[in-house]
Amino acid sequence: MNYTADPAEFADLLHAQADAAPAGKFGSIFPGVQTYDSRVVNGKRVVKSLDAETVRQELNIVREQGYSGFYLFAYNTLSRDIIEVVRQFNN
């Protein structure tokens, strides 16, 4: 799982994971893409969907780095915009 809403940090995490993968196991790694933002506001945790463009950027990084798939976290934060990004990514 790669919990960051920063595409540059996400890319760095994926590079580190690829470098740490045992020989021949890279194809078994499916990065987790965060679909939500969680912050504490006035003492309460607020969870909301990430901007779909951030998810698009991170999915493009997954593809560019040669991963064969991904996971999305979490179901309850999948906005219609994010679902559309995923549909476009899979075409």
Coordinates of all heavy atoms in Angstrom, one line a residue:
M1 N 0.9 -1.2 0.0 CA 0.0 0.0 0.0 C 0.9 1.2 0.0 O 1.9 1.3 0.7 CB -0.9 0.0 1.2 CG -1.9 -1.2 1.2 SD -3.0 -1.2 2.6 CE -2.0 -2.2 3.7
N2 N 0.5 2.2 -0.8 CA 1.4 3.4 -1.0 C 0.5 4.6 -0.7 O -0.1 5.2 -1.5 CB 1.9 3.4 -2.4 CG 2.6 2.2 -2.8 OD1 3.7 2.0 -2.3 ND2 2.0 1.3 -3.6
Y3 N 0.4 4.9 0.6 CA -0.5 6.0 1.1 C 0.1 7.3 0.9 O 0.7 7.8 1.9 CB -0.9 5.7 2.5 CG -1.9 4.5 2.6 CD1 -1.8 3.7 3.7 CD2 -2.9 4.3 1.7 CE1 -2.6 2.6 3.9 CE2 -3.7 3.2 1.9 CZ -3.6 2.4 2.9 OH -4.5 1.3 3.1
T4 N 0.0 7.9 -0.2 CA 0.4 9.2 -0.5 C -0.4 9.8 -1.6 O -0.8 9.1 -2.5 CB 1.9 9.3 -0.8 OG1 2.3 10.7 -1.1 CG2 2.3 8.5 -2.1
A5 N -0.7 11.1 -1.5 CA -1.4 11.8 -2.5 C -0.5 12.7 -3.3 O -0.9 13.5 -4.1 CB -2.5 12.7 -1.9
D6 N 0.8 12.4 -3.2 CA 1.8 13.2 -3.9 C 2.4 12.2 -5.0 O 3.1 11.3 -4.6 CB 2.9 13.6 -2.9 CG 4.1 14.3 -3.6 OD1 4.2 14.3 -4.8 OD2 4.9 14.9 -2.8
P7 N 2.1 12.5 -6.2 CA 2.6 11.6 -7.3 C 4.1 11.4 -7.3 O 4.6 10.3 -7.6 CB 2.1 12.3 -8.6 CG 0.8 13.0 -8.1 CD 1.2 13.5 -6.8
A8 N 4.9 12.4 -7.0 CA 6.3 12.3 -7.0 C 6.8 11.3 -5.9 O 7.6 10.5 -6.1 CB 7.0 13.7 -6.8
E9 N 6.2 11.5 -4.7 CA 6.5 10.5 -3.6 C 6.1 9.1 -4.0 O 6.7 8.1 -3.7 CB 5.8 11.0 -2.4 CG 6.2 10.1 -1.2 CD 5.5 10.6 0.1 OE1 4.7 11.5 0.1 OE2 5.8 10.0 1.2
F10 N 4.9 9.0 -4.6 CA 4.4 7.7 -5.1 C 5.4 7.1 -6.0 O 5.7 5.9 -5.9 CB 3.0 7.9 -5.8 CG 2.4 6.7 -6.2 CD1 1.7 5.9 -5.3 CD2 2.4 6.3 -7.6 CE1 1.1 4.7 -5.8 CE2 1.8 5.2 -8.0 CZ 1.1 4.4 -7.1
A11 N 5.9 7.8 -7.0 CA 6.9 7.3 -7.9 C 8.1 6.8 -7.2 O 8.6 5.7 -7.5 CB 7.3 8.3 -9.0
D12 N 8.6 7.5 -6.2 CA 9.7 7.1 -5.4 C 9.5 5.8 -4.7 O 10.3 4.9 -4.6 CB 10.2 8.2 -4.5 CG 10.7 9.4 -5.1 OD1 11.1 9.4 -6.3 OD2 10.8 10.5 -4.5
L13 N 8.3 5.7 -4.1 CA 7.9 4.5 -3.4 C 7.9 3.3 -4.3 O 8.4 2.2 -3.9 CB 6.5 4.6 -2.7 CG 6.4 5.6 -1.5 CD1 4.9 5.8 -1.2 CD2 7.1 5.0 -0.3
L14 N 7.4 3.5 -5.5 CA 7.3 2.3 -6.4 C 8.7 1.9 -6.9 O 9.0 0.7 -7.0 CB 6.4 2.6 -7.6 CG 5.0 2.9 -7.4 CD1 4.2 2.9 -8.7 CD2 4.4 1.8 -6.4
H15 N 9.6 2.9 -7.1 CA 11.0 2.6 -7.5 C 11.6 1.8 -6.4 O 12.3 0.8 -6.6 CB 11.8 3.9 -7.7 CG 11.6 4.5 -9.1 ND1 11.9 3.8 -10.2 CD2 11.1 5.7 -9.5 CE1 11.6 4.6 -11.3 NE2 11.2 5.7 -10.8
A16 N 11.4 2.2 -5.1 CA 12.0 1.5 -4.0 C 11.5 0.1 -3.9 O 12.3 -0.9 -3.6 CB 11.8 2.3 -2.7
Q17 N 10.2 -0.1 -4.1 CA 9.6 -1.4 -4.1 C 10.2 -2.3 -5.2 O 10.5 -3.5 -4.9 CB 8.1 -1.4 -4.2 CG 7.5 -0.8 -3.0 CD 6.0 -0.5 -3.1 OE1 5.4 -0.7 -4.2 NE2 5.3 -0.1 -2.1
A18 N 10.3 -1.8 -6.4 CA 10.9 -2.6 -7.5 C 12.3 -2.9 -7.2 O 12.7 -4.1 -7.4 CB 10.8 -1.7 -8.8
D19 N 13.1 -2.0 -6.6 CA 14.5 -2.3 -6.3 C 14.6 -3.4 -5.2 O 15.6 -4.1 -5.2 CB 15.2 -1.0 -5.8 CG 15.4 0.0 -6.9 OD1 15.3 -0.4 -8.1 OD2 15.7 1.1 -6.6
A20 N 13.6 -3.4 -4.3 CA 13.7 -4.4 -3.2 C 13.1 -5.8 -3.5 O 13.3 -6.7 -2.8 CB 13.0 -3.8 -2.0
A21 N 12.5 -5.9 -4.7 CA 11.8 -7.1 -5.1 C 12.9 -8.2 -5.3 O 13.9 -7.9 -6.0 CB 11.0 -6.9 -6.3
P22 N 12.6 -9.4 -4.8 CA 13.5 -10.5 -5.1 C 13.6 -10.8 -6.6 O 12.6 -10.5 -7.4 CB 12.9 -11.7 -4.4 CG 12.0 -11.1 -3.3 CD 11.5 -9.8 -3.9
A23 N 14.7 -11.3 -7.1 CA 14.8 -11.6 -8.5 C 13.6 -12.4 -9.0 O 13.2 -13.4 -8.4 CB 16.1 -12.3 -8.8
G24 N 13.1 -12.0 -10.1 CA 12.0 -12.7 -10.8 C 10.6 -12.5 -10.1 O 9.6 -13.0 -10.6
K25 N 10.5 -11.6 -9.1 CA 9.2 -11.4 -8.4 C 8.5 -10.1 -8.7 O 7.4 -9.8 -8.2 CB 9.4 -11.5 -6.9 CG 9.9 -12.9 -6.5 CD 8.9 -14.0 -6.7 CE 9.3 -15.3 -6.3 NZ 8.3 -16.3 -6.6
F26 N 9.2 -9.2 -9.5 CA 8.6 -7.9 -9.8 C 7.1 -8.1 -10.3 O 6.3 -7.3 -10.0 CB 9.4 -7.2 -10.8 CG 8.8 -5.8 -11.2 CD1 8.9 -4.7 -10.4 CD2 8.2 -5.7 -12.4 CE1 8.4 -3.5 -10.7 CE2 7.6 -4.5 -12.8 CZ 7.7 -3.4 -11.9
G27 N 6.9 -9.0 -11.2 CA 5.6 -9.2 -11.8 C 4.5 -9.6 -10.8 O 3.3 -9.6 -11.1
S28 N 4.9 -9.9 -9.6 CA 3.9 -10.3 -8.5 C 3.5 -9.1 -7.6 O 2.7 -9.3 -6.7 CB 4.5 -11.4 -7.6 OG 4.8 -12.5 -8.3
I29 N 4.1 -8.0 -7.9 CA 3.9 -6.8 -7.1 C 2.8 -5.9 -7.8 O 2.9 -5.6 -8.9 CB 5.1 -5.9 -6.9 CG1 6.2 -6.7 -6.2 CG2 4.8 -4.6 -6.1 CD1 7.6 -6.0 -6.2
F30 N 1.7 -5.6 -7.0 CA 0.6 -4.8 -7.5 C 0.5 -3.6 -6.5 O 0.0 -3.8 -5.4 CB -0.7 -5.6 -7.5 CG -0.7 -6.6 -8.6 CD1 -0.1 -7.9 -8.4 CD2 -1.3 -6.4 -9.8 CE1 -0.1 -8.8 -9.3 CE2 -1.4 -7.4 -10.8 CZ -0.8 -8.6 -10.5
P31 N 1.0 -2.4 -6.9 CA 1.0 -1.3 -6.0 C -0.4 -0.9 -5.6 O -1.4 -1.0 -6.3 CB 1.6 -0.2 -6.8 CG 2.3 -0.8 -7.9 CD 1.6 -2.1 -8.2
G32 N -0.6 -0.5 -4.3 CA -1.8 0.0 -3.8 C -1.9 1.5 -4.0 O -1.0 2.3 -3.7
V33 N -3.0 2.0 -4.7 CA -3.2 3.4 -5.0 C -4.2 3.9 -4.1 O -5.4 3.4 -4.0 CB -3.6 3.6 -6.5 CG1 -3.9 5.0 -6.8 CG2 -2.5 3.0 -7.4
Q34 N -3.9 5.0 -3.3 CA -4.8 5.6 -2.4 C -5.8 6.4 -3.1 O -5.5 7.2 -4.0 CB -4.0 6.5 -1.4 CG -4.8 7.2 -0.4 CD -3.9 8.0 0.5 OE1 -2.7 7.9 0.5 NE2 -4.5 8.8 1.4
T35 N -7.1 6.3 -2.8 CA -8.2 7.0 -3.5 C -8.8 8.1 -2.5 O -9.8 8.6 -2.9 CB -9.3 6.1 -4.0 OG1 -9.9 5.4 -2.9 CG2 -8.7 5.1 -5.0
Y36 N -8.2 8.3 -1.4 CA -8.8 9.2 -0.4 C -7.7 10.0 0.3 O -6.6 9.7 0.2 CB -9.6 8.4 0.6 CG -8.7 7.6 1.5 CD1 -8.2 8.1 2.7 CD2 -8.4 6.3 1.2 CE1 -7.3 7.3 3.5 CE2 -7.6 5.5 2.0 CZ -7.1 6.0 3.1 OH -6.2 5.2 3.9
D37 N -8.2 11.1 0.9 CA -7.4 12.0 1.7 C -8.0 11.9 3.1 O -9.2 12.0 3.2 CB -7.4 13.4 1.1 CG -6.4 14.3 1.9 OD1 -5.4 13.8 2.4 OD2 -6.7 15.5 1.9
S38 N -7.1 11.8 4.1 CA -7.6 11.8 5.5 C -6.8 12.8 6.3 O -5.6 12.8 6.3 CB -7.3 10.4 6.1 OG -7.7 10.3 7.4
R39 N -7.6 13.7 6.9 CA -7.0 14.8 7.7 C -7.7 15.0 9.0 O -8.9 14.6 9.0 CB -7.0 16.1 6.9 CG -6.2 16.1 5.6 CD -6.4 17.4 4.9 NE -5.9 17.3 3.5 CZ -4.7 17.7 3.2 NH1 -3.9 18.3 4.1 NH2 -4.2 17.6 2.0
V40 N -7.1 15.6 9.9 CA -7.7 15.9 11.2 C -8.1 17.4 11.1 O -7.2 18.3 10.9 CB -6.9 15.6 12.4 CG1 -7.5 16.1 13.7 CG2 -6.6 14.2 12.5
V41 N -9.4 17.7 11.2 CA -9.9 19.1 11.1 C -10.7 19.4 12.4 O -11.6 18.6 12.7 CB -10.7 19.3 9.9 CG1 -11.3 20.7 9.8 CG2 -9.9 19.0 8.6
N42 N -10.2 20.3 13.1 CA -10.9 20.7 14.4 C -11.1 19.5 15.3 O -12.1 19.2 15.9 CB -12.3 21.3 14.1 CG -12.2 22.6 13.4 OD1 -11.2 23.4 13.6 ND2 -13.1 22.9 12.5
G43 N -10.0 18.6 15.4 CA -10.0 17.5 16.2 C -10.8 16.3 15.7 O -10.9 15.3 16.4
K44 N -11.3 16.4 14.5 CA -12.1 15.2 13.9 C -11.4 14.8 12.6 O -11.0 15.6 11.8 CB -13.5 15.6 13.6 CG -14.3 15.9 14.9 CD -15.8 16.1 14.5 CE -16.6 16.3 15.8 NZ -18.0 16.5 15.5
R45 N -11.4 13.5 12.4 CA -10.8 12.9 11.2 C -11.8 13.1 10.1 O -13.0 12.7 10.2 CB -10.5 11.5 11.3 CG -9.9 10.9 10.0 CD -9.0 9.8 10.2 NE -7.9 10.0 11.2 CZ -6.7 10.6 10.9 NH1 -6.5 11.1 9.7 NH2 -5.8 10.7 11.8
V46 N -11.4 13.7 9.0 CA -12.2 14.0 7.8 C -11.6 13.2 6.6 O -10.4 13.3 6.3 CB -12.3 15.5 7.4 CG1 -13.1 15.7 6.2 CG2 -12.8 16.3 8.6
V47 N -12.4 12.3 6.0 CA -12.0 11.5 4.9 C -12.8 11.9 3.7 O -14.0 12.0 3.8 CB -12.2 10.0 5.2 CG1 -11.8 9.1 4.0 CG2 -11.4 9.6 6.5
K48 N -12.1 12.1 2.6 CA -12.8 12.5 1.3 C -12.0 11.9 0.2 O -10.9 11.5 0.3 CB -12.9 14.0 1.2 CG -11.5 14.7 1.0 CD -11.7 16.2 0.8 CE -10.3 16.8 0.6 NZ -10.2 17.5 -0.7
S49 N -12.7 11.8 -0.9 CA -12.1 11.2 -2.2 C -11.0 12.2 -2.6 O -11.1 13.4 -2.5 CB -13.1 11.1 -3.3 OG -14.1 10.2 -3.0
L50 N -9.9 11.6 -3.1 CA -8.8 12.3 -3.7 C -9.4 12.9 -5.0 O -10.3 12.4 -5.6 CB -7.7 11.5 -4.1 CG -6.6 11.2 -3.0 CD1 -5.5 10.3 -3.6 CD2 -6.0 12.5 -2.5
D51 N -8.7 13.9 -5.5 CA -8.9 14.5 -6.8 C -8.6 13.4 -7.8 O -7.6 12.8 -7.8 CB -8.1 15.7 -7.0 CG -8.2 16.3 -8.4 OD1 -9.3 16.8 -8.7 OD2 -7.2 16.3 -9.1
A52 N -9.5 13.3 -8.8 CA -9.4 12.2 -9.8 C -8.1 12.4 -10.6 O -7.5 11.4 -11.0 CB -10.6 12.2 -10.7
E53 N -7.6 13.6 -10.8 CA -6.4 13.8 -11.6 C -5.2 13.3 -10.8 O -4.3 12.7 -11.4 CB -6.2 15.3 -11.8 CG -5.0 15.6 -12.6 CD -4.9 14.9 -14.0 OE1 -5.9 14.6 -14.6 OE2 -3.7 14.6 -14.4
T54 N -5.2 13.3 -9.5 CA -4.1 12.7 -8.7 C -4.1 11.2 -8.9 O -3.0 10.6 -9.1 CB -4.2 13.1 -7.2 OG1 -4.2 14.5 -7.1 CG2 -3.1 12.4 -6.4
V55 N -5.2 10.6 -8.9 CA -5.3 9.1 -9.1 C -4.9 8.8 -10.5 O -4.1 7.9 -10.7 CB -6.8 8.6 -8.9 CG1 -6.9 7.2 -9.2 CG2 -7.2 8.9 -7.4
R56 N -5.2 9.6 -11.5 CA -4.8 9.4 -12.9 C -3.3 9.5 -13.0 O -2.6 8.6 -13.6 CB -5.4 10.5 -13.8 CG -5.0 10.3 -15.3 CD -5.4 11.5 -16.2 NE -6.7 11.9 -15.9 CZ -7.9 11.4 -16.4 NH1 -7.8 10.3 -17.2 NH2 -9.0 11.9 -16.1
Q57 N -2.7 10.4 -12.4 CA -1.2 10.6 -12.4 C -0.6 9.3 -11.8 O 0.4 8.8 -12.3 CB -0.8 11.8 -11.7 CG -1.1 13.1 -12.4 CD -0.8 14.3 -11.5 OE1 0.0 14.3 -10.6 NE2 -1.5 15.5 -11.9
E58 N -1.1 8.9 -10.7 CA -0.5 7.7 -10.0 C -0.7 6.4 -10.8 O 0.2 5.6 -10.9 CB -1.0 7.6 -8.6 CG -0.5 8.8 -7.7 CD -0.8 8.6 -6.2 OE1 -1.5 7.7 -5.8 OE2 -0.3 9.5 -5.5
L59 N -1.8 6.3 -11.4 CA -2.0 5.1 -12.3 C -1.1 5.2 -13.5 O -0.5 4.1 -13.9 CB -3.5 5.0 -12.8 CG -4.5 4.7 -11.7 CD1 -5.9 4.7 -12.3 CD2 -4.2 3.4 -11.0
N60 N -0.8 6.3 -14.0 CA 0.1 6.5 -15.1 C 1.5 6.1 -14.7 O 2.3 5.5 -15.4 CB 0.1 7.9 -15.7 CG -1.1 8.1 -16.6 OD1 -1.6 7.2 -17.2 ND2 -1.5 9.4 -16.7
I61 N 1.9 6.4 -13.4 CA 3.2 6.0 -12.9 C 3.3 4.5 -12.8 O 4.3 3.9 -13.1 CB 3.4 6.7 -11.5 CG1 3.6 8.2 -11.7 CG2 4.6 6.1 -10.8 CD1 3.5 9.1 -10.4
V62 N 2.2 3.9 -12.3 CA 2.2 2.4 -12.2 C 2.5 1.8 -13.6 O 3.3 0.9 -13.8 CB 0.8 1.9 -11.7 CG1 0.6 0.4 -11.9 CG2 0.6 2.3 -10.3
R63 N 1.8 2.4 -14.6 CA 2.0 1.9 -16.0 C 3.5 2.2 -16.5 O 4.1 1.3 -17.0 CB 1.0 2.5 -16.9 CG 1.2 2.1 -18.4 CD 0.2 2.8 -19.3 NE -1.1 2.3 -19.1 CZ -2.2 3.0 -19.3 NH1 -2.2 4.2 -19.8 NH2 -3.4 2.4 -19.1
E64 N 3.9 3.4 -16.3 CA 5.2 3.8 -16.8 C 6.3 3.0 -16.1 O 7.4 2.7 -16.8 CB 5.5 5.3 -16.5 CG 4.7 6.2 -17.3 CD 4.6 7.6 -16.8 OE1 5.3 7.9 -15.7 OE2 3.9 8.4 -17.3
Q65 N 6.2 2.6 -14.9 CA 7.2 1.8 -14.2 C 7.1 0.3 -14.5 O 7.9 -0.5 -14.0 CB 7.2 2.1 -12.7 CG 7.6 3.5 -12.4 CD 8.0 3.7 -10.9 OE1 8.2 2.8 -10.2 NE2 8.0 4.9 -10.5
G66 N 6.1 -0.1 -15.3 CA 6.1 -1.5 -15.8 C 5.3 -2.5 -14.9 O 5.4 -3.7 -15.1
Y67 N 4.6 -2.0 -13.9 CA 3.8 -2.9 -13.0 C 2.6 -3.4 -13.9 O 2.1 -2.7 -14.7 CB 3.3 -2.1 -11.8 CG 4.3 -1.8 -10.8 CD1 5.1 -0.7 -10.8 CD2 4.6 -2.8 -9.8 CE1 6.1 -0.4 -9.9 CE2 5.6 -2.5 -8.8 CZ 6.3 -1.3 -8.9 OH 7.3 -1.1 -8.0
S68 N 2.2 -4.7 -13.6 CA 1.2 -5.3 -14.4 C -0.2 -5.1 -13.8 O -1.2 -5.5 -14.4 CB 1.5 -6.8 -14.5 OG 1.6 -7.4 -13.3
G69 N -0.4 -4.4 -12.7 CA -1.7 -4.2 -12.1 C -1.6 -3.3 -10.9 O -0.5 -2.8 -10.5
F70 N -2.7 -3.1 -10.2 CA -2.8 -2.2 -9.1 C -4.0 -2.6 -8.2 O -4.9 -3.3 -8.7 CB -2.8 -0.7 -9.5 CG -4.0 -0.4 -10.4 CD1 -5.2 0.0 -9.8 CD2 -3.9 -0.5 -11.7 CE1 -6.3 0.2 -10.6 CE2 -5.0 -0.2 -12.6 CZ -6.2 0.1 -12.0
Y71 N -4.0 -2.0 -7.0 CA -5.1 -2.1 -6.1 C -5.5 -0.7 -5.8 O -4.7 0.2 -5.7 CB -4.7 -2.8 -4.8 CG -4.5 -4.3 -4.9 CD1 -3.2 -4.8 -5.1 CD2 -5.5 -5.2 -5.0 CE1 -2.9 -6.1 -5.2 CE2 -5.3 -6.6 -5.1 CZ -4.0 -7.0 -5.2 OH -3.7 -8.3 -5.3
L72 N -6.8 -0.5 -5.5 CA -7.3 0.8 -5.1 C -7.8 0.7 -3.6 O -8.4 -0.3 -3.2 CB -8.5 1.2 -5.9 CG -8.3 1.4 -7.4 CD1 -9.6 1.7 -8.1 CD2 -7.3 2.5 -7.7
F73 N -7.5 1.7 -2.9 CA -7.9 1.8 -1.4 C -8.5 3.2 -1.2 O -7.9 4.2 -1.5 CB -6.7 1.7 -0.5 CG -6.0 0.3 -0.6 CD1 -4.9 0.1 -1.3 CD2 -6.5 -0.8 0.1 CE1 -4.3 -1.1 -1.4 CE2 -5.9 -2.0 0.1 CZ -4.8 -2.2 -0.7
A74 N -9.7 3.3 -0.9 CA -10.6 2.3 -0.3 C -11.9 2.5 -1.1 O -12.3 3.6 -1.6 CB -10.8 2.6 1.2
Y75 N -12.7 1.4 -1.1 CA -13.9 1.4 -1.8 C -14.9 2.5 -1.5 O -15.5 3.1 -2.4 CB -14.6 0.0 -1.6 CG -16.0 -0.1 -2.2 CD1 -16.1 -0.3 -3.6 CD2 -17.1 0.1 -1.4 CE1 -17.4 -0.4 -4.1 CE2 -18.4 0.0 -2.0 CZ -18.5 -0.2 -3.4 OH -19.7 -0.3 -3.9
N76 N -15.0 2.8 -0.2 CA -16.0 3.9 0.2 C -15.6 5.3 -0.3 O -16.3 6.2 0.0 CB -16.2 3.8 1.7 CG -15.0 4.1 2.5 OD1 -13.9 4.0 2.0 ND2 -15.2 4.5 3.7
T77 N -14.4 5.4 -0.9 CA -14.0 6.8 -1.4 C -13.9 6.8 -2.9 O -13.4 7.8 -3.4 CB -12.7 7.2 -0.7 OG1 -11.7 6.3 -1.1 CG2 -12.8 7.4 0.8
L78 N -14.4 5.9 -3.6 CA -14.4 5.9 -5.0 C -15.5 6.8 -5.6 O -16.7 6.5 -5.6 CB -14.6 4.5 -5.6 CG -13.4 3.5 -5.4 CD1 -13.8 2.1 -5.9 CD2 -12.2 4.0 -6.1
S79 N -15.1 8.0 -6.0 CA -16.0 8.9 -6.6 C -16.3 8.5 -8.0 O -15.5 7.7 -8.6 CB -15.4 10.3 -6.6 OG -14.3 10.4 -7.4
R80 N -17.3 9.0 -8.6 CA -17.6 8.8 -10.0 C -16.4 9.2 -10.9 O -16.1 8.5 -11.9 CB -18.9 9.5 -10.5 CG -20.1 9.0 -9.9 CD -21.4 9.7 -10.4 NE -22.5 9.3 -9.7 CZ -23.3 8.3 -10.0 NH1 -23.0 7.5 -11.0 NH2 -24.4 8.0 -9.3
D81 N -15.8 10.3 -10.6 CA -14.6 10.8 -11.4 C -13.5 9.8 -11.3 O -12.8 9.5 -12.3 CB -14.1 12.1 -10.9 CG -15.1 13.2 -11.2 OD1 -16.0 13.1 -12.1 OD2 -15.0 14.3 -10.5
I82 N -13.2 9.2 -10.1 CA -12.1 8.2 -10.0 C -12.5 6.9 -10.7 O -11.7 6.4 -11.4 CB -11.8 7.9 -8.5 CG1 -11.2 9.1 -7.8 CG2 -10.9 6.7 -8.4 CD1 -11.0 9.0 -6.3
I83 N -13.7 6.5 -10.7 CA -14.2 5.3 -11.4 C -13.9 5.5 -12.9 O -13.5 4.6 -13.6 CB -15.6 5.0 -11.1 CG1 -15.7 4.5 -9.6 CG2 -16.2 3.9 -12.0 CD1 -17.1 4.3 -9.1
E84 N -14.2 6.7 -13.4 CA -14.0 7.0 -14.8 C -12.6 7.0 -15.2 O -12.2 6.5 -16.2 CB -14.7 8.4 -15.2 CG -14.6 8.7 -16.7 CD -15.2 7.6 -17.6 OE1 -16.2 7.0 -17.1 OE2 -14.7 7.4 -18.7
V85 N -11.7 7.5 -14.3 CA -10.2 7.5 -14.6 C -9.8 6.0 -14.7 O -9.0 5.7 -15.6 CB -9.5 8.2 -13.4 CG1 -8.0 7.8 -13.4 CG2 -9.6 9.7 -13.5
V86 N -10.3 5.1 -13.8 CA -9.9 3.7 -13.8 C -10.4 3.1 -15.1 O -9.6 2.3 -15.7 CB -10.4 3.0 -12.6 CG1 -10.2 1.5 -12.7 CG2 -9.7 3.6 -11.3
R87 N -11.6 3.4 -15.5 CA -12.1 2.9 -16.8 C -11.2 3.3 -17.9 O -10.9 2.4 -18.8 CB -13.5 3.4 -17.0 CG -14.6 2.6 -16.3 CD -16.0 3.0 -16.8 NE -16.9 2.3 -16.0 CZ -17.9 2.9 -15.3 NH1 -18.1 4.2 -15.4 NH2 -18.8 2.2 -14.6
Q88 N -10.8 4.5 -18.0 CA -10.0 5.0 -19.1 C -8.6 4.4 -19.0 O -8.0 4.0 -20.1 CB -9.8 6.5 -19.0 CG -11.1 7.3 -19.3 CD -11.0 8.7 -19.0 OE1 -9.9 9.3 -18.6 NE2 -12.1 9.4 -19.2
F89 N -8.1 4.1 -17.8 CA -6.8 3.5 -17.7 C -6.8 2.1 -18.2 O -5.8 1.6 -18.7 CB -6.4 3.6 -16.2 CG -5.0 3.0 -15.9 CD1 -3.9 3.8 -16.1 CD2 -4.9 1.7 -15.5 CE1 -2.6 3.2 -15.8 CE2 -3.6 1.2 -15.2 CZ -2.5 1.9 -15.4
N90 N -7.8 1.4 -18.0 CA -7.9 0.0 -18.4 C -8.2 -0.2 -19.9 O -8.2 -1.3 -20.4 CB -9.0 -0.7 -17.6 CG -8.5 -1.0 -16.2 OD1 -7.3 -1.3 -16.0 ND2 -9.3 -0.9 -15.2
N91 N -8.4 0.9 -20.6 CA -8.7 0.8 -22.1 C -7.4 0.8 -22.9 O -6.4 1.3 -22.5 CB -9.7 1.8 -22.5 CG -11.1 1.6 -22.0 OD1 -11.5 0.4 -21.8 ND2 -11.8 2.6 -21.8

